[in-house]
């Protein structure tokens, strides 16, 4: 028999106290309003445990009474994984677990609790003279537990890896309230299945991450940044090979943007002036992070070689921090400017890097066939093979009518992605947005393995029910 709302409030208050439970619909708004504005299902309540034992008690109680719990960090996820699906769930926000447990810059690691905000993690590392290299546009709100559970990527995955690769160990509370102590700072540990890698990226479906030990790196001496004209994505790929050859792992960003995106930003006055050297259908934003004692000007030298050989027609190297900031703004505002131009259909996909030109050509052609007049606005982490393959509505079109065609655009893009052996979710995850899609595209044996793991760790299906794999065992 399911519990009434007042039974649930009473049980939660008994564990976390009156102040640790949000039951009022208006007060719950900040936990329910997610960035995509697509998912609008209410929650029964929000619980804010103030300690790991309190969280363990919530899990024990929920497991006994079959109450669905949704782990939440900063509520910035883009696939609806952190917000309710049925309206019968309790959101459990870990924002109060925000202690910095240890920082050891010399040994290259720090241990933070799940509620620490990503931007704060950067500051903690910097104060110790080290770098935590995971940057997202949402870093002012996203929290360590959410960043790890969604295995977030960002703009420097190329050099440092995504959240999974930056994690050495995790501590987690399981569905039945047991505490898994996997916090360690080992670089090598071959003692069985990798439970850290399983929990990172599990979108809150296998456990609550309560703390993590994260890798730290030396702070670079300086950044060298350029906006390079490339006539096509194929040339961008050749440029990538050249830069990797000349500057190696110092190449920390290799991002692709198109002219349409820059024009939109100029039209909407989101850029004071054009940061590029001259008109080009495509641009690459390349950045080199120079280590202390490294040779200055390596990016400039590599680009002179590319210009000299005729590979690229034009480029501009940032000569001041203001110019660098303007170049990054042109890249980071690509998504925002689209929403100002009307409705947009978005895809976060990846393919092997060598297949990015085919993805862009075939994907654009297929969507243009399906929706005449649509305007392609792809951009993203070309160096990782990860493109945010977005489409803006035709000029003057009705946004609702355009969004009614979303399924056609999705089908067109995912067909190309699958043919090129890519992934339908490169860095944003599955959540509730792509649950059905996952069933269609994932290897059936992989799906069976994933369901078996879920059943073993959460037999009553109380952790983030219905997310990622669809409905649970109940
Ligand atoms: C403007 C903007 C830019 C973004 N840019 C990027 C980008 O460049 N790259 C990228 O990869 N992503 C990006 N994202 C999405 C990204 O997933 C999130 O920003 C971030 O990683 C999620 O952190 P969060 O704390 O907000 O998690 P939430 O949104 O709260 O939760 C995300 C997932 O993690 C789970 N979860 C949260 N906390 C815990 C926990 N302690 N234990 C277990 N599970 C937990 C939730 O249940 C959910 O499944 C962006 C989002 C926005 C709004």
């Amino acid at each position: 028999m399911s519990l009434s709302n007042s039974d649930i409030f009473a049980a939660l208050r008994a564990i976390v106290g009156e102040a640790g439970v949000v039951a009022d619909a208006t007060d719950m708004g900040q936990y329910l309003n997610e960035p995509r504005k697509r998912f609008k299902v209410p929650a029964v309540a929000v619980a804010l445990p103030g300690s790991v034992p309190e969280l363990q008690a919530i899990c024990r109680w929920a497991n006994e009474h079959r109450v669905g719990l949704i782990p939440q960090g900063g509520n910035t996820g883009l696939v609806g994984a952190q917000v309710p699906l049925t309206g019968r769930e309790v959101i459990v926000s870990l924002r109060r677990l925000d202690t910095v447990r240890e920082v050891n810059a010399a040994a290259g690691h720090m241990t933070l609790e799940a509620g620490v905000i990503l931007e704060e993690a950067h500051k903690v590392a910097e104060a110790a003279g080290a770098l935590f290299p995971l940057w997202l546009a949402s870093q002012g709100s996203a929290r360590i537990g959410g960043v790890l559970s969604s295995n977030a990527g960002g703009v420097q995955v190329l050099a440092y890896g995504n959240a999974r690769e930056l994690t050495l160990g995790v501590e987690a509370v399981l569905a039945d309230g047991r505490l898994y102590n996997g916090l360690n700072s080992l670089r090598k540990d071959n003692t069985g299945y990798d439970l850290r890698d399983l929990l990172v990226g599990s979108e809150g479906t296998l456990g609550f991450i309560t703390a993590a030990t994260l890798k730290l790196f030396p702070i670079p001496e300086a950044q060298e940044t350029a906006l390079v004209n490339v006539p096509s994505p194929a040339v961008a790929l050749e440029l990538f090979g050249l830069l990797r050859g000349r500057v190696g792992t110092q190449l920390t960003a290799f991002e692709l943007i198109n002219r349409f995106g820059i024009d939109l930003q100029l039209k909407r006055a989101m850029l004071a002036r054009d940061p590029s050297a001259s008109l080009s259908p495509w641009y690459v934003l390349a950045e080199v992070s120079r280590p202390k004692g490294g040779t200055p000007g390596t990016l400039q030298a590599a680009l002179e070689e590319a210009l000299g050989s005729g590979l690229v027609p034009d480029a501009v190297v940032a000569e001041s921090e203001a110019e660098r900031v303007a170049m990054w703004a042109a890249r980071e505002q690509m998504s925002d400017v689209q929403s100002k131009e009307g409705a947009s259909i978005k895809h976060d996909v990846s393919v092997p890097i060598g297949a990015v030109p085919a993805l862009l050509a075939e994907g654009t052609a297929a969507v243009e066939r399906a929706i005449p007049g649509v305007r392609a606005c792809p951009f993203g982490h070309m160096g990782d093979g990860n493109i945010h393959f977005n489409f803006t509505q035709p000029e003057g079109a009705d946004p609702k009518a355009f969004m009614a065609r979303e399924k056609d655009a999705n089908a067109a893009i995912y067909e190309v992605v699958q043919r090129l052996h890519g992934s339908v979710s490169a860095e944003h995850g599955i959540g509730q947005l792509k649950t059905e899609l996952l069933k269609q595209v994932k290897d059936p044996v992989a799906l069976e393995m994933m369901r078996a793991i879920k059943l073993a760790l959460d037999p009553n299906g109380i952790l983030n029910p219905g997310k990622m794999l669809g409905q649970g065992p109940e």
Side-chain angles (χ1 to χ4, degrees), residues 433-453:
L433 185 67
K434 293 184 176 173
T435 308
E436 286 310 311
L437 179 64
L438 187 75
K439 286 182 198 154
Q440 292 161 26
V441 302
K442 193 88 177 169
D443 170 60
V445 177
L447 275 176
E448 280 170 25
M449 291 166 74
M450 286 165 68
R451 287 193 190 107
I453 291 166

mmCIF file with all atom_site columns, all heavy atoms in Angstrom, residues 433-453:
data_model
loop_
_atom_site.group_PDB
_atom_site.id
_atom_site.type_symbol
_atom_site.label_atom_id
_atom_site.label_alt_id
_atom_site.label_comp_id
_atom_site.label_asym_id
_atom_site.label_entity_id
_atom_site.label_seq_id
_atom_site.pdbx_PDB_ins_code
_atom_site.Cartn_x
_atom_site.Cartn_y
_atom_site.Cartn_z
_atom_site.occupancy
_atom_site.B_iso_or_equiv
_atom_site.pdbx_formal_charge
_atom_site.auth_seq_id
_atom_site.auth_comp_id
_atom_site.auth_asym_id
_atom_site.auth_atom_id
_atom_site.pdbx_PDB_model_num
ATOM 1   N N   . LEU A 1 433 ? 14.563 11.916  -21.096 1.00 0.00 ? 433 LEU A N   1
ATOM 2   C CA  . LEU A 1 433 ? 14.435 12.398  -22.482 1.00 0.00 ? 433 LEU A CA  1
ATOM 3   C C   . LEU A 1 433 ? 14.698 11.285  -23.502 1.00 0.00 ? 433 LEU A C   1
ATOM 4   O O   . LEU A 1 433 ? 14.037 11.207  -24.526 1.00 0.00 ? 433 LEU A O   1
ATOM 5   C CB  . LEU A 1 433 ? 15.428 13.551  -22.711 1.00 0.00 ? 433 LEU A CB  1
ATOM 6   C CG  . LEU A 1 433 ? 15.360 14.248  -24.063 1.00 0.00 ? 433 LEU A CG  1
ATOM 7   C CD1 . LEU A 1 433 ? 14.049 15.013  -24.204 1.00 0.00 ? 433 LEU A CD1 1
ATOM 8   C CD2 . LEU A 1 433 ? 16.528 15.204  -24.249 1.00 0.00 ? 433 LEU A CD2 1
ATOM 9   N N   . LYS A 1 434 ? 15.674 10.425  -23.211 1.00 0.00 ? 434 LYS A N   1
ATOM 10  C CA  . LYS A 1 434 ? 16.102 9.476   -24.245 1.00 0.00 ? 434 LYS A CA  1
ATOM 11  C C   . LYS A 1 434 ? 15.912 8.012   -23.836 1.00 0.00 ? 434 LYS A C   1
ATOM 12  O O   . LYS A 1 434 ? 16.580 7.122   -24.360 1.00 0.00 ? 434 LYS A O   1
ATOM 13  C CB  . LYS A 1 434 ? 17.572 9.744   -24.595 1.00 0.00 ? 434 LYS A CB  1
ATOM 14  C CG  . LYS A 1 434 ? 17.793 11.085  -25.271 1.00 0.00 ? 434 LYS A CG  1
ATOM 15  C CD  . LYS A 1 434 ? 19.222 11.307  -25.704 1.00 0.00 ? 434 LYS A CD  1
ATOM 16  C CE  . LYS A 1 434 ? 19.365 12.620  -26.460 1.00 0.00 ? 434 LYS A CE  1
ATOM 17  N NZ  . LYS A 1 434 ? 20.773 12.950  -26.741 1.00 0.00 ? 434 LYS A NZ  1
ATOM 18  N N   . THR A 1 435 ? 15.008 7.761   -22.884 1.00 0.00 ? 435 THR A N   1
ATOM 19  C CA  . THR A 1 435 ? 14.793 6.392   -22.399 1.00 0.00 ? 435 THR A CA  1
ATOM 20  C C   . THR A 1 435 ? 14.345 5.463   -23.538 1.00 0.00 ? 435 THR A C   1
ATOM 21  O O   . THR A 1 435 ? 14.879 4.367   -23.706 1.00 0.00 ? 435 THR A O   1
ATOM 22  C CB  . THR A 1 435 ? 13.715 6.406   -21.291 1.00 0.00 ? 435 THR A CB  1
ATOM 23  O OG1 . THR A 1 435 ? 14.099 7.375   -20.342 1.00 0.00 ? 435 THR A OG1 1
ATOM 24  C CG2 . THR A 1 435 ? 13.604 5.079   -20.602 1.00 0.00 ? 435 THR A CG2 1
ATOM 25  N N   . GLU A 1 436 ? 13.365 5.913   -24.306 1.00 0.00 ? 436 GLU A N   1
ATOM 26  C CA  . GLU A 1 436 ? 12.854 5.071   -25.406 1.00 0.00 ? 436 GLU A CA  1
ATOM 27  C C   . GLU A 1 436 ? 13.916 4.911   -26.485 1.00 0.00 ? 436 GLU A C   1
ATOM 28  O O   . GLU A 1 436 ? 14.100 3.818   -27.035 1.00 0.00 ? 436 GLU A O   1
ATOM 29  C CB  . GLU A 1 436 ? 11.575 5.686   -26.004 1.00 0.00 ? 436 GLU A CB  1
ATOM 30  C CG  . GLU A 1 436 ? 10.355 5.535   -25.107 1.00 0.00 ? 436 GLU A CG  1
ATOM 31  C CD  . GLU A 1 436 ? 10.143 4.102   -24.615 1.00 0.00 ? 436 GLU A CD  1
ATOM 32  O OE1 . GLU A 1 436 ? 10.173 3.172   -25.450 1.00 0.00 ? 436 GLU A OE1 1
ATOM 33  O OE2 . GLU A 1 436 ? 9.985  3.907   -23.396 1.00 0.00 ? 436 GLU A OE2 1
ATOM 34  N N   . LEU A 1 437 ? 14.625 5.999   -26.754 1.00 0.00 ? 437 LEU A N   1
ATOM 35  C CA  . LEU A 1 437 ? 15.677 5.947   -27.775 1.00 0.00 ? 437 LEU A CA  1
ATOM 36  C C   . LEU A 1 437 ? 16.755 4.939   -27.393 1.00 0.00 ? 437 LEU A C   1
ATOM 37  O O   . LEU A 1 437 ? 17.232 4.161   -28.234 1.00 0.00 ? 437 LEU A O   1
ATOM 38  C CB  . LEU A 1 437 ? 16.271 7.355   -27.928 1.00 0.00 ? 437 LEU A CB  1
ATOM 39  C CG  . LEU A 1 437 ? 17.409 7.525   -28.924 1.00 0.00 ? 437 LEU A CG  1
ATOM 40  C CD1 . LEU A 1 437 ? 16.931 7.232   -30.341 1.00 0.00 ? 437 LEU A CD1 1
ATOM 41  C CD2 . LEU A 1 437 ? 17.978 8.946   -28.854 1.00 0.00 ? 437 LEU A CD2 1
ATOM 42  N N   . LEU A 1 438 ? 17.120 4.937   -26.096 1.00 0.00 ? 438 LEU A N   1
ATOM 43  C CA  . LEU A 1 438 ? 18.159 4.011   -25.644 1.00 0.00 ? 438 LEU A CA  1
ATOM 44  C C   . LEU A 1 438 ? 17.764 2.568   -25.955 1.00 0.00 ? 438 LEU A C   1
ATOM 45  O O   . LEU A 1 438 ? 18.589 1.775   -26.428 1.00 0.00 ? 438 LEU A O   1
ATOM 46  C CB  . LEU A 1 438 ? 18.389 4.175   -24.130 1.00 0.00 ? 438 LEU A CB  1
ATOM 47  C CG  . LEU A 1 438 ? 19.569 3.377   -23.579 1.00 0.00 ? 438 LEU A CG  1
ATOM 48  C CD1 . LEU A 1 438 ? 20.892 4.038   -23.961 1.00 0.00 ? 438 LEU A CD1 1
ATOM 49  C CD2 . LEU A 1 438 ? 19.498 3.225   -22.067 1.00 0.00 ? 438 LEU A CD2 1
ATOM 50  N N   . LYS A 1 439 ? 16.494 2.240   -25.715 1.00 0.00 ? 439 LYS A N   1
ATOM 51  C CA  . LYS A 1 439 ? 16.025 0.868   -25.975 1.00 0.00 ? 439 LYS A CA  1
ATOM 52  C C   . LYS A 1 439 ? 16.174 0.507   -27.447 1.00 0.00 ? 439 LYS A C   1
ATOM 53  O O   . LYS A 1 439 ? 16.436 -0.630  -27.797 1.00 0.00 ? 439 LYS A O   1
ATOM 54  C CB  . LYS A 1 439 ? 14.546 0.738   -25.584 1.00 0.00 ? 439 LYS A CB  1
ATOM 55  C CG  . LYS A 1 439 ? 14.317 0.703   -24.088 1.00 0.00 ? 439 LYS A CG  1
ATOM 56  C CD  . LYS A 1 439 ? 12.834 0.517   -23.807 1.00 0.00 ? 439 LYS A CD  1
ATOM 57  C CE  . LYS A 1 439 ? 12.511 0.917   -22.387 1.00 0.00 ? 439 LYS A CE  1
ATOM 58  N NZ  . LYS A 1 439 ? 11.137 1.342   -22.198 1.00 0.00 ? 439 LYS A NZ  1
ATOM 59  N N   . GLN A 1 440 ? 15.999 1.526   -28.298 1.00 0.00 ? 440 GLN A N   1
ATOM 60  C CA  . GLN A 1 440 ? 16.075 1.247   -29.742 1.00 0.00 ? 440 GLN A CA  1
ATOM 61  C C   . GLN A 1 440 ? 17.507 1.085   -30.233 1.00 0.00 ? 440 GLN A C   1
ATOM 62  O O   . GLN A 1 440 ? 17.760 0.305   -31.147 1.00 0.00 ? 440 GLN A O   1
ATOM 63  C CB  . GLN A 1 440 ? 15.428 2.389   -30.526 1.00 0.00 ? 440 GLN A CB  1
ATOM 64  C CG  . GLN A 1 440 ? 13.925 2.493   -30.348 1.00 0.00 ? 440 GLN A CG  1
ATOM 65  C CD  . GLN A 1 440 ? 13.422 3.874   -30.747 1.00 0.00 ? 440 GLN A CD  1
ATOM 66  O OE1 . GLN A 1 440 ? 14.033 4.571   -31.563 1.00 0.00 ? 440 GLN A OE1 1
ATOM 67  N NE2 . GLN A 1 440 ? 12.312 4.284   -30.163 1.00 0.00 ? 440 GLN A NE2 1
ATOM 68  N N   . VAL A 1 441 ? 18.442 1.848   -29.646 1.00 0.00 ? 441 VAL A N   1
ATOM 69  C CA  . VAL A 1 441 ? 19.776 1.892   -30.261 1.00 0.00 ? 441 VAL A CA  1
ATOM 70  C C   . VAL A 1 441 ? 20.844 1.101   -29.522 1.00 0.00 ? 441 VAL A C   1
ATOM 71  O O   . VAL A 1 441 ? 21.865 0.755   -30.111 1.00 0.00 ? 441 VAL A O   1
ATOM 72  C CB  . VAL A 1 441 ? 20.272 3.355   -30.428 1.00 0.00 ? 441 VAL A CB  1
ATOM 73  C CG1 . VAL A 1 441 ? 19.312 4.154   -31.270 1.00 0.00 ? 441 VAL A CG1 1
ATOM 74  C CG2 . VAL A 1 441 ? 20.488 4.030   -29.074 1.00 0.00 ? 441 VAL A CG2 1
ATOM 75  N N   . LYS A 1 442 ? 20.619 0.801   -28.245 1.00 0.00 ? 442 LYS A N   1
ATOM 76  C CA  . LYS A 1 442 ? 21.693 0.156   -27.470 1.00 0.00 ? 442 LYS A CA  1
ATOM 77  C C   . LYS A 1 442 ? 21.754 -1.329  -27.797 1.00 0.00 ? 442 LYS A C   1
ATOM 78  O O   . LYS A 1 442 ? 20.724 -1.966  -28.012 1.00 0.00 ? 442 LYS A O   1
ATOM 79  C CB  . LYS A 1 442 ? 21.404 0.366   -25.975 1.00 0.00 ? 442 LYS A CB  1
ATOM 80  C CG  . LYS A 1 442 ? 22.562 0.044   -25.061 1.00 0.00 ? 442 LYS A CG  1
ATOM 81  C CD  . LYS A 1 442 ? 23.471 1.216   -24.856 1.00 0.00 ? 442 LYS A CD  1
ATOM 82  C CE  . LYS A 1 442 ? 24.582 0.887   -23.888 1.00 0.00 ? 442 LYS A CE  1
ATOM 83  N NZ  . LYS A 1 442 ? 25.613 1.916   -23.879 1.00 0.00 ? 442 LYS A NZ  1
ATOM 84  N N   . ASP A 1 443 ? 22.939 -1.870  -27.791 1.00 0.00 ? 443 ASP A N   1
ATOM 85  C CA  . ASP A 1 443 ? 23.120 -3.297  -27.990 1.00 0.00 ? 443 ASP A CA  1
ATOM 86  C C   . ASP A 1 443 ? 22.240 -4.062  -26.991 1.00 0.00 ? 443 ASP A C   1
ATOM 87  O O   . ASP A 1 443 ? 22.267 -3.766  -25.785 1.00 0.00 ? 443 ASP A O   1
ATOM 88  C CB  . ASP A 1 443 ? 24.606 -3.630  -27.750 1.00 0.00 ? 443 ASP A CB  1
ATOM 89  C CG  . ASP A 1 443 ? 24.842 -5.122  -27.692 1.00 0.00 ? 443 ASP A CG  1
ATOM 90  O OD1 . ASP A 1 443 ? 24.549 -5.794  -28.677 1.00 0.00 ? 443 ASP A OD1 1
ATOM 91  O OD2 . ASP A 1 443 ? 25.290 -5.604  -26.621 1.00 0.00 ? 443 ASP A OD2 1
ATOM 92  N N   . PRO A 1 444 ? 21.434 -5.031  -27.445 1.00 0.00 ? 444 PRO A N   1
ATOM 93  C CA  . PRO A 1 444 ? 20.494 -5.698  -26.531 1.00 0.00 ? 444 PRO A CA  1
ATOM 94  C C   . PRO A 1 444 ? 21.184 -6.404  -25.362 1.00 0.00 ? 444 PRO A C   1
ATOM 95  O O   . PRO A 1 444 ? 20.638 -6.446  -24.254 1.00 0.00 ? 444 PRO A O   1
ATOM 96  C CB  . PRO A 1 444 ? 19.758 -6.709  -27.412 1.00 0.00 ? 444 PRO A CB  1
ATOM 97  C CG  . PRO A 1 444 ? 20.299 -6.564  -28.780 1.00 0.00 ? 444 PRO A CG  1
ATOM 98  C CD  . PRO A 1 444 ? 21.276 -5.444  -28.827 1.00 0.00 ? 444 PRO A CD  1
ATOM 99  N N   . VAL A 1 445 ? 22.375 -6.928  -25.602 1.00 0.00 ? 445 VAL A N   1
ATOM 100 C CA  . VAL A 1 445 ? 23.088 -7.591  -24.496 1.00 0.00 ? 445 VAL A CA  1
ATOM 101 C C   . VAL A 1 445 ? 23.546 -6.548  -23.470 1.00 0.00 ? 445 VAL A C   1
ATOM 102 O O   . VAL A 1 445 ? 23.481 -6.774  -22.253 1.00 0.00 ? 445 VAL A O   1
ATOM 103 C CB  . VAL A 1 445 ? 24.277 -8.437  -25.019 1.00 0.00 ? 445 VAL A CB  1
ATOM 104 C CG1 . VAL A 1 445 ? 25.047 -9.062  -23.875 1.00 0.00 ? 445 VAL A CG1 1
ATOM 105 C CG2 . VAL A 1 445 ? 23.764 -9.513  -25.976 1.00 0.00 ? 445 VAL A CG2 1
ATOM 106 N N   . ALA A 1 446 ? 23.973 -5.396  -23.961 1.00 0.00 ? 446 ALA A N   1
ATOM 107 C CA  . ALA A 1 446 ? 24.362 -4.316  -23.035 1.00 0.00 ? 446 ALA A CA  1
ATOM 108 C C   . ALA A 1 446 ? 23.161 -3.909  -22.188 1.00 0.00 ? 446 ALA A C   1
ATOM 109 O O   . ALA A 1 446 ? 23.293 -3.714  -20.967 1.00 0.00 ? 446 ALA A O   1
ATOM 110 C CB  . ALA A 1 446 ? 24.896 -3.115  -23.818 1.00 0.00 ? 446 ALA A CB  1
ATOM 111 N N   . LEU A 1 447 ? 21.998 -3.822  -22.809 1.00 0.00 ? 447 LEU A N   1
ATOM 112 C CA  . LEU A 1 447 ? 20.785 -3.457  -22.054 1.00 0.00 ? 447 LEU A CA  1
ATOM 113 C C   . LEU A 1 447 ? 20.474 -4.495  -20.984 1.00 0.00 ? 447 LEU A C   1
ATOM 114 O O   . LEU A 1 447 ? 20.129 -4.156  -19.849 1.00 0.00 ? 447 LEU A O   1
ATOM 115 C CB  . LEU A 1 447 ? 19.589 -3.328  -22.996 1.00 0.00 ? 447 LEU A CB  1
ATOM 116 C CG  . LEU A 1 447 ? 19.403 -1.991  -23.705 1.00 0.00 ? 447 LEU A CG  1
ATOM 117 C CD1 . LEU A 1 447 ? 18.225 -2.066  -24.668 1.00 0.00 ? 447 LEU A CD1 1
ATOM 118 C CD2 . LEU A 1 447 ? 19.215 -0.847  -22.715 1.00 0.00 ? 447 LEU A CD2 1
ATOM 119 N N   . GLU A 1 448 ? 20.620 -5.779  -21.339 1.00 0.00 ? 448 GLU A N   1
ATOM 120 C CA  . GLU A 1 448 ? 20.370 -6.845  -20.341 1.00 0.00 ? 448 GLU A CA  1
ATOM 121 C C   . GLU A 1 448 ? 21.355 -6.731  -19.179 1.00 0.00 ? 448 GLU A C   1
ATOM 122 O O   . GLU A 1 448 ? 20.975 -6.893  -18.016 1.00 0.00 ? 448 GLU A O   1
ATOM 123 C CB  . GLU A 1 448 ? 20.528 -8.225  -20.989 1.00 0.00 ? 448 GLU A CB  1
ATOM 124 C CG  . GLU A 1 448 ? 19.317 -8.671  -21.786 1.00 0.00 ? 448 GLU A CG  1
ATOM 125 C CD  . GLU A 1 448 ? 19.618 -9.927  -22.596 1.00 0.00 ? 448 GLU A CD  1
ATOM 126 O OE1 . GLU A 1 448 ? 20.526 -10.701 -22.204 1.00 0.00 ? 448 GLU A OE1 1
ATOM 127 O OE2 . GLU A 1 448 ? 18.945 -10.116 -23.626 1.00 0.00 ? 448 GLU A OE2 1
ATOM 128 N N   . MET A 1 449 ? 22.621 -6.463  -19.491 1.00 0.00 ? 449 MET A N   1
ATOM 129 C CA  . MET A 1 449 ? 23.627 -6.321  -18.422 1.00 0.00 ? 449 MET A CA  1
ATOM 130 C C   . MET A 1 449 ? 23.279 -5.134  -17.521 1.00 0.00 ? 449 MET A C   1
ATOM 131 O O   . MET A 1 449 ? 23.366 -5.218  -16.291 1.00 0.00 ? 449 MET A O   1
ATOM 132 C CB  . MET A 1 449 ? 25.025 -6.141  -19.033 1.00 0.00 ? 449 MET A CB  1
ATOM 133 C CG  . MET A 1 449 ? 25.545 -7.394  -19.715 1.00 0.00 ? 449 MET A CG  1
ATOM 134 S SD  . MET A 1 449 ? 26.981 -7.057  -20.759 1.00 0.00 ? 449 MET A SD  1
ATOM 135 C CE  . MET A 1 449 ? 28.249 -6.803  -19.539 1.00 0.00 ? 449 MET A CE  1
ATOM 136 N N   . MET A 1 450 ? 22.862 -4.042  -18.142 1.00 0.00 ? 450 MET A N   1
ATOM 137 C CA  . MET A 1 450 ? 22.517 -2.847  -17.358 1.00 0.00 ? 450 MET A CA  1
ATOM 138 C C   . MET A 1 450 ? 21.317 -3.129  -16.454 1.00 0.00 ? 450 MET A C   1
ATOM 139 O O   . MET A 1 450 ? 21.305 -2.738  -15.283 1.00 0.00 ? 450 MET A O   1
ATOM 140 C CB  . MET A 1 450 ? 22.226 -1.659  -18.298 1.00 0.00 ? 450 MET A CB  1
ATOM 141 C CG  . MET A 1 450 ? 23.494 -1.092  -18.927 1.00 0.00 ? 450 MET A CG  1
ATOM 142 S SD  . MET A 1 450 ? 23.200 0.003   -20.348 1.00 0.00 ? 450 MET A SD  1
ATOM 143 C CE  . MET A 1 450 ? 22.414 1.395   -19.591 1.00 0.00 ? 450 MET A CE  1
ATOM 144 N N   . ARG A 1 451 ? 20.304 -3.823  -16.988 1.00 0.00 ? 451 ARG A N   1
ATOM 145 C CA  . ARG A 1 451 ? 19.111 -4.138  -16.170 1.00 0.00 ? 451 ARG A CA  1
ATOM 146 C C   . ARG A 1 451 ? 19.479 -5.056  -15.013 1.00 0.00 ? 451 ARG A C   1
ATOM 147 O O   . ARG A 1 451 ? 18.962 -4.925  -13.892 1.00 0.00 ? 451 ARG A O   1
ATOM 148 C CB  . ARG A 1 451 ? 18.032 -4.791  -17.039 1.00 0.00 ? 451 ARG A CB  1
ATOM 149 C CG  . ARG A 1 451 ? 17.382 -3.795  -17.965 1.00 0.00 ? 451 ARG A CG  1
ATOM 150 C CD  . ARG A 1 451 ? 16.101 -4.355  -18.590 1.00 0.00 ? 451 ARG A CD  1
ATOM 151 N NE  . ARG A 1 451 ? 15.642 -3.454  -19.636 1.00 0.00 ? 451 ARG A NE  1
ATOM 152 C CZ  . ARG A 1 451 ? 15.728 -3.690  -20.938 1.00 0.00 ? 451 ARG A CZ  1
ATOM 153 N NH1 . ARG A 1 451 ? 16.246 -4.828  -21.382 1.00 0.00 ? 451 ARG A NH1 1
ATOM 154 N NH2 . ARG A 1 451 ? 15.306 -2.802  -21.806 1.00 0.00 ? 451 ARG A NH2 1
ATOM 155 N N   . ALA A 1 452 ? 20.403 -6.014  -15.272 1.00 0.00 ? 452 ALA A N   1
ATOM 156 C CA  . ALA A 1 452 ? 20.820 -6.945  -14.216 1.00 0.00 ? 452 ALA A CA  1
ATOM 157 C C   . ALA A 1 452 ? 21.546 -6.196  -13.095 1.00 0.00 ? 452 ALA A C   1
ATOM 158 O O   . ALA A 1 452 ? 21.351 -6.475  -11.906 1.00 0.00 ? 452 ALA A O   1
ATOM 159 C CB  . ALA A 1 452 ? 21.719 -8.036  -14.804 1.00 0.00 ? 452 ALA A CB  1
ATOM 160 N N   . ILE A 1 453 ? 22.355 -5.231  -13.474 1.00 0.00 ? 453 ILE A N   1
ATOM 161 C CA  . ILE A 1 453 ? 23.084 -4.435  -12.466 1.00 0.00 ? 453 ILE A CA  1
ATOM 162 C C   . ILE A 1 453 ? 22.087 -3.619  -11.641 1.00 0.00 ? 453 ILE A C   1
ATOM 163 O O   . ILE A 1 453 ? 22.163 -3.567  -10.408 1.00 0.00 ? 453 ILE A O   1
ATOM 164 C CB  . ILE A 1 453 ? 24.117 -3.512  -13.157 1.00 0.00 ? 453 ILE A CB  1
ATOM 165 C CG1 . ILE A 1 453 ? 25.255 -4.356  -13.754 1.00 0.00 ? 453 ILE A CG1 1
ATOM 166 C CG2 . ILE A 1 453 ? 24.685 -2.487  -12.179 1.00 0.00 ? 453 ILE A CG2 1
ATOM 167 C CD1 . ILE A 1 453 ? 26.145 -3.596  -14.725 1.00 0.00 ? 453 ILE A CD1 1
#
